[in-house]
Amino acid sequence: MKNRALSIVLIGCVLGLLTASAGAQDKTDDGLVIKGNVAAGVPAVKEAERSSKFYEYRDVPRGFFLQSLNLDLSKGSQYFYLSAWNVQQADERIRAGVGQYGTFALDVGYDNTPHRFSFDGATPYIERIPGVFTLNDVIRSAAEALVPTGTSTNIAAARALVSSFLTSAGPIDLGLQRRKATLDFAYTPSVPFSFNIAGSHETRGGNRPFGAPLGFSNAIELPEPIHYKTTNVDTSLEYHKAWGTVRAGLAASLFDNDVQTLFWDNPYRITDSTYASAYSAGNGTAHGQMSLPPSNDAVKFYLSGSFKPLKATRISAAASYGTFSQNQSLLPFTVNTAIPASDPLAAGALSAPRETAMAKANIISFDLSLNSRLTKSIYLSAGIRYYDFANKIEELDMPNGYARMDQVWEAIPIAVEPYSFKHSRLFGDLTFNVVKNTSVRVGYSLYGITRREGAHELEKNKTEEGIFKVSVDTHPMDWLMLRVTYLNSKRDWSLDDTWYAYTPTFNFKRYFEANRNRQSLNALVGLTPIDNLDVQLTYAIGRDDYPHSDYGLTRDDFDMYGIDLSYAFAKNQTLYGFYSHEVYDADQASRQSGATFSESPLDDWTANLKDTVDTFGAGQTIELMADKLNFDLSASFSKAAGSSFLFSPPGGAPNTALNFTDPLDSTTWWTVQSSFKWKMMKNLCVVLGYWFEQYDLKDIVRNEIAVDYAAAGAIFLGALEPGYRYHVGSLKFIYSF
């Protein structure tokens, strides 16, 4: 009723304005100009199968809809506007503003954004209070009775029992709704000064799939409760003169999470216990716990400016200093009451390692750039960028060990150490206008990142990458345009010869640190071979090679090409089409190991992963009757397929890899949209529309997902995103004034 009432009020206001403005020819006697439009109608929706994928980030109305509303009022330098789209739907957007040109401007907005994960979810858990999930105690007691305490003997029978109860799992709608309000105010009290303030407040509510394992063979998926609130405020003062501009500001961001802890029952235990391998079967603890994103604050002060020391030269600079902080209470090592008595080092296991997080980071950034015309045909661009993330969290030492999955105490000293890093980039390029309508740009940049883990780390973990880039942009003839860009870069890691994961003979490198050689080429050709026909050809390749990595990511390539056509065969009548082909190809290598690292190369394996994407489409716009009747038709199709080739030598573990006979995944999507737009009278149009969309997914994992995997040691949410086929028709009226 509230939604319907608001829609009626909005429509009533618009109709009232329309009535008041009728015959006024958009301008009243006192100089007030009124303009606007409103689009509303009714849809007809047919679905073959309801799917969250179709509605993932949007809403499709099932009854009367107000698609858009726009109202503009102006009088001299004063103005007011109101715009709304998809009114009273889950993806609603509203904007409004009032102001006086050269003096002030006030803009407000409201956005609704859905994110639907699945309509098919189900769970045996009940959320008693936010973040606390319980199971039927009768089931847990019966499952516990089947397995002798302190062992995993007969665990298969317990899983079968739990499985028999999962048929009664209750449905749950997995999705989020984001609601964001914004305000922007700009005020210019005098010509050189201006004041700006921007603010936003967003709430995000709902739930989403979340992994909450209690053991290697006790994988559980829960609906994570989302109760987020984020508030941002940014204020700044700007001073502007002919020589340049200076701006200073203060920004703050506050994040609040009402549910910061997840607590859930173990389906196989109702009383706590522990034994050496309980983390494998997952039948020691009666409950599990996990922390969720903590509430935190961020504050930043910034200063920026630009000035022109010479007529053809501009220097720009920006600097900022900010802090991140959060000091939420830490969870105890475990909620398993049996663990403290299992090991003398676990005496304090039911307490937190310290009271609060004591987390803080200081961030410094600095940018400086120079743009100058050196001569009539030569331009220079150069600069430096620096970013320093200094993690100031108090190091957390746990010398007595930790609780593994709330199942067992591991007497292995560990520490949580602060991770800090610094980014820097030096760049410069020259642009030469060599001949008429032709320019060549040559540039070089040096990018570096220094990482530091722990307050006392002595090793210099640094990567440096030199990037050379050259591009040519030419328009030698009216019917020909060409743009080509080539890039060549080399990245070096300071620890390449000294760091290893397990043993020096296992030459594994992390892809984001490892030495890398990169080349890429991008080309765009624009042609107009005949009047009204435009053709664009695109081609791109990329080659990433990791010459010092025998294991990990060793190669990552891509190839793309495409064509776009557009032909205007008459006035207000256009035909267009497009096609693109993309291939992503990568190689990985590693070694299969058990509890201890394998020294045998026979346990090596390699994987070639390839993704291919083909997309094409076409459309036309036809004016059937001049200034009276238009017809639009468009269609597009896309198919993405992923494949793999696995290899391992015979005699190792695994012994001769088995390959999939089908693709890893295959996704197809196609849509058709058409509309007739009839201009009934000067201010009124009628639009008859049709929209078809189909999506299909074949995935070796996701297509078979279900709630009941208890026999294999898992309970999932069954959060399917099935394929769909939708037909949507609509009759819409657009009134302009």
Side-chain angles (χ1 to χ4, degrees), residues 277 387 611:
S277 60
Y387 181 89
D611 290 291

Side-chain angles (χ1 to χ4, degrees), residues 51-66:
S51 173
S52 60
K53 195 66 178 177
F54 181 71
Y55 295 94
E56 187 170 9
Y57 297 107
R58 63 188 174 193
D59 202 4
V60 179
R62 296 303 181 99
F64 170 82
F65 64 86
L66 183 57

Side-chain angles (χ1 to χ4, degrees), residues 181-238:
T182 60
L183 182 146
D184 294 276
F185 178 69
Y187 177 55
T188 307
S190 61
V191 173
F193 286 100
S194 64
F195 172 76
N196 299 272
I197 182 168
S200 67
H201 180 74
E202 178 183 283
T203 63
R204 188 180 306 187
N207 51 67
R208 63 186 172 197
F210 187 83
L214 285 174
F216 293 163
S217 299
N218 190 0
I220 299 171
E221 196 174 34
L222 293 174
E224 178 194 2
I226 305 297
H227 298 262
Y228 296 169
K229 293 188 287 288
T230 305
T231 303
N232 295 315
V233 179
D234 188 336
T235 62
S236 64
L237 182 65
E238 186 173 299

Side-chain angles (χ1 to χ4, degrees), residues 683-703:
N683 291 31
L684 181 64
C685 294
V686 179
V687 180
L688 181 64
Y690 170 73
W691 167 28
F692 169 79
E693 189 168 307
Q694 180 172 323
Y695 169 84
D696 293 293
L697 170 65
K698 295 180 180 179
D699 189 287
I700 60 172
V701 176
R702 294 176 63 186
N703 280 99

